[in-house]
Amino acid sequence: MAKKDISGSLVDPDYIESLAKIVVGNDLRELKISDGEMKVSIKRGNDVVMASAPMMQAMPTSSASTANSQSGQAQLAEPTPIATPSHSSNAVEVRAPMVGTAYMAPQPSAPNFVSEGAVVKIGDTLMIVEAMKVMNPIVAPCAGKIVKISVDNGQPVEFDEILMVIEP
């Protein structure tokens, strides 16, 4: 299998996906594989498959879960709060934890998670960043009002790019 170099980490998404299919297809609860520095742990519970692999060099580690659907497999990672204080007043900048594609709604026909002026609580889903077929929910790191949304639906985002600004 060909490995792809992603921010200094050798990752083969097809390999991870094939392991998830083995877990689902054989009704396994857990599968752990270690190959050199790469370690993969896939756990299943309540018809959800969890997979995680360490990312190297400034990439946050997250667990991904795979849910089967009629259109194939969709993966959803654990929510990732990424925020830094903004330059203006008390505002908090919500930043992209990875390179990917920003989605403002859970589905194309669904309403956006939030809009400018919306009031959010800690942990509320603000948007999704898709990376390597994994949907990574971006959650509110603090309670407050969305004062700025810096990205559009379907727009590519870079690591550490400002996605939104929340004023507590």
Side-chain angles (χ1 to χ4, degrees):
M1 284 181 231
K3 293 184 180 179
K4 297 179 182 177
D5 186 4
I6 301 172
S7 294
S9 174
L10 294 178
V11 176
D12 183 358
D14 295 331
Y15 177 66
I16 303 298
E17 187 174 337
S18 68
L19 292 176
K21 286 179 183 178
I22 289 170
V23 170
V24 172
N26 293 294
D27 200 27
L28 301 174
R29 301 290 272 160
E30 184 173 1
L31 175 67
K32 290 183 180 182
I33 293 179
S34 177
D35 181 19
E37 290 187 28
M38 183 170 155
K39 294 178 183 173
V40 178
S41 176
I42 300 175
K43 297 178 184 177
R44 181 182 170 143
N46 299 332
D47 288 323
V48 176
V49 176
M50 306 284 284
S52 66
M55 301 298 276
M56 298 177 198
Q57 298 181 355
M59 290 297 291
T61 302
S62 66
S63 299
S65 64
T66 305
N68 290 325
S69 67
Q70 291 179 347
S71 62
Q73 288 190 336
Q75 296 180 353
L76 183 62
E78 289 181 13
T80 308
I82 300 291
T84 57
S86 176
H87 300 292
S88 63
S89 68
N90 301 348
V92 174
E93 296 172 341
V94 179
R95 295 179 172 269
M98 65 201 63
V99 173
T101 304
Y103 293 107
M104 305 308 291
Q107 299 174 13
S109 60
N112 289 354
F113 289 109
V114 296
S115 58
E116 286 185 7
V119 176
V120 296
K121 301 179 301 228
I122 293 176
D124 284 355
T125 300
L126 302 174
M127 64 188 316
I128 294 171
V129 174
E130 177 200 2
M132 295 175 40
K133 298 182 184 178
V134 176
M135 301 299 173
N136 299 281
I138 307 302
V139 298
C142 63
K145 180 179 176 181
I146 305 290
V147 293
K148 182 176 182 184
I149 297 177
S150 305
V151 296
D152 293 322
N153 191 49
Q155 175 183 333
V157 296
E158 296 293 325
F159 174 74
D160 207 34
E161 179 177 341
I162 298 171
L163 303 173
M164 293 185 190
V165 177
I166 301 175
E167 197 165 272

